[in-house]
Structure formats: C-alpha cells, structure tokens
Amino acid sequence: MAKSSFSVKAGLARFVKAVMVAVLLPLAAGLLQGILGELEVMSSSGATFREWLGWGFVTYVGLHVLLYRPVALFRVSHRLFSVLAVWLFGGQVASTEAAGGKGKGTKGGKGERAAQGSTLVAFSPYVIPLYTILVSAGGWLLHRWLGRAVADGPVSFLLGATMAFHWLMTADDLQRQRERWHVETYLLAIGLVFLVTLLLAGLCLPWAVPEFSFARAFADGISRTQALYTTLIQRLFL
C-alpha cells in the first residue's frame, strides 16, 4: 500500500513538472522575442543593438564549441552565489552537493527545511547571470566616460557573449546531472534557468542600452506568448 501511494505521488509530481515545462517554454520563447524586438534600435556604433548582441552570442558559441570553455570563470560565480545562498538561507547546508541527494536526516520539519535550503542553494547560481549584470553596469559607466559612440558596440557585443557563456556553461553543468533526473525535471530546470536569467538580464539592460524598456519588452513578450499558446492549442486540440 505504501509503495502504491508513493508511486501515485511520484507520477503526480512528474505530471505537474511536465505541465510546468509546457507552460514555461512558450513563456521563455515569447519573452526572448519581446526582448530581441525591443533591441531593434540603432546604436551609436553603426548597427542595431540586436545585431551587436547577436555577433557577441555567436562568437562565444563558436569559441565554446571549437576552442575553449572558461570553466574556472563559471565556477567563480557559481561558488560566490552558492556561498551567498547558504548565508541567506541560514547556513542550512554546507555544500551544493547535497541537492537532490537522499539522506537519513531528511525526516521531520528540520530535515525538510534543510532539503529545501539545499535545493535553493544548488539552483540559485544558475539563474543569476553575473557577468551579464557586470557588463551592463560597466556599460553605464563607459557611456559617461567614453561616450556612446565608443561604448555601444563593444558593450552590446559583450552582453551577447556573456549571455551565451552563462547559458552554455549552465547547460553543460546540468547535463552532467542529467542521469539522475527524469527528463521533465531536466527540462524544467533548463526552462527555469532560461526564463529567470532572461528576466534578470532584461531588468539590467537599460543600464547599457538606455533606449531599452523592460516594461515594453515584457508586455510584447506576454503578447507573443499568448499567440504561441493559442497556436499550440489549435494544432493539438482543434
């Protein structure tokens, strides 16, 4: 009876995760389209901000696949936010290795809180694009020191490169944990990382791209998401 109850709960949990994936992926795609559409503005460096970001993104992807993966750089931000998360959640876990693990001390209220803290600690570094945020802040300073004609292009290029860096390094890191996850858990993790990093990057973009409006991009992204949902529902059920 206990095994049957556990099986039902596990199946229900997997179903809920699958539904969340189905909801998150169109939302992430719509938000990405909204942000890119808002970046279709001419910079002071002779091309649109979207083009500069695209060149930076593609350049890093090429370097990542063909030449070099800056793992040490990724680990710096990962450890920084892991330590910060441990501190914020009361030091409930000493390491991110415990996330998703099964231990004898997980029963009861204290064990459950520790498990939740462990999950938050393990996941939080993946959703904060540290280097994109730093480049956005640096772009704000460079605009005042060097002028936009000089800074717009390089800063936008680095924004694209750092987003590609964060997403690809995160995907590589999560892929190493893929064997102990169900496919819907893996897809949910990827979807959450993609969505939250887009939101954080979008909130910081106005520092480097003054013409960028996160409110307009978000509203456009929601409209695009609704269109995606409508199209999917019509093709699947109508």
Side-chain angles (χ1 to χ4, degrees), residues 145-193:
W145 291 346
L146 303 178
R148 295 195 58 184
V150 175
D152 273 359
V155 168
S156 300
F157 182 92
L158 287 174
L159 286 171
T162 53
M163 283 305 297
F165 161 78
H166 185 82
W167 282 338
L168 289 178
M169 293 302 300
T170 296
D172 286 348
D173 211 48
L174 292 178
Q175 181 62 34
R176 286 195 287 270
Q177 306 176 51
R178 171 69 183 88
E179 292 182 359
R180 58 188 180 86
W181 287 351
H182 293 298
V183 63
E184 66 276 2
T185 303
Y186 176 73
L187 291 176
L188 179 59
I190 292 292
L192 282 172
V193 168

Side-chain angles (χ1 to χ4, degrees), residues 225-237:
T225 300
Q226 291 173 342
L228 285 173
Y229 286 146
T230 301
T231 301
L232 287 173
I233 291 171
Q234 287 176 343
R235 291 186 177 182
L236 289 174
F237 303 108

Side-chain angles (χ1 to χ4, degrees), residues 25-41:
L25 293 183
L27 178 58
L31 182 60
L32 176 62
Q33 291 178 334
I35 289 176
L36 292 178
E38 187 67 18
L39 289 169
E40 287 282 5
V41 179

Side-chain angles (χ1 to χ4, degrees), residues 16-214:
V16 170
K17 289 178 183 178
V19 171
M20 290 178 67
V21 170
V23 171
L24 277 176
L25 293 183
L27 178 58
L31 182 60
L32 176 62
Q33 291 178 334
I35 289 176
L36 292 178
E38 187 67 18
L39 289 169
E40 287 282 5
V41 179
M42 286 298 298
S43 70
S44 300
S45 300
T48 66
F49 289 105
R50 178 173 179 170
E51 288 173 329
W52 279 109
L53 263 76
W55 293 335
F57 192 95
V58 171
T59 299
Y60 176 79
V61 170
L63 292 173
H64 184 93
V65 172
L66 300 175
L67 297 176
Y68 174 67
R69 299 182 181 188
V71 176
L73 201 61
F74 180 72
R75 290 299 174 199
V76 168
S77 64
H78 198 283
R79 288 186 179 182
L80 172 64
F81 286 108
S82 293
V83 171
L84 181 60
V86 169
W87 179 74
L88 288 174
F89 296 110
Q92 293 170 349
V93 292
S95 131
T96 59
E97 298 299 322
K102 297 179 181 180
K104 295 181 180 180
T106 59
K107 295 182 179 180
K110 185 176 180 180
E112 290 174 0
R113 287 194 299 271
Q116 292 168 1
S118 178
T119 301
L120 288 169
V121 168
F123 192 66
S124 57
Y126 296 119
V127 300
I128 302 176
L130 174 63
Y131 298 107
T132 302
I133 294 172
L134 292 177
V135 169
S136 297
W140 183 84
L141 293 173
L142 289 174
H143 286 161
R144 282 148 183 78
W145 291 346
L146 303 178
R148 295 195 58 184
V150 175
D152 273 359
V155 168
S156 300
F157 182 92
L158 287 174
L159 286 171
T162 53
M163 283 305 297
F165 161 78
H166 185 82
W167 282 338
L168 289 178
M169 293 302 300
T170 296
D172 286 348
D173 211 48
L174 292 178
Q175 181 62 34
R176 286 195 287 270
Q177 306 176 51
R178 171 69 183 88
E179 292 182 359
R180 58 188 180 86
W181 287 351
H182 293 298
V183 63
E184 66 276 2
T185 303
Y186 176 73
L187 291 176
L188 179 59
I190 292 292
L192 282 172
V193 168
F194 189 76
L195 180 61
V196 176
T197 51
L198 269 181
L199 288 170
L200 292 176
L203 287 169
C204 296
L205 270 177
W207 301 343
V209 185
E211 294 85 355
F212 180 85
S213 169
F214 178 76

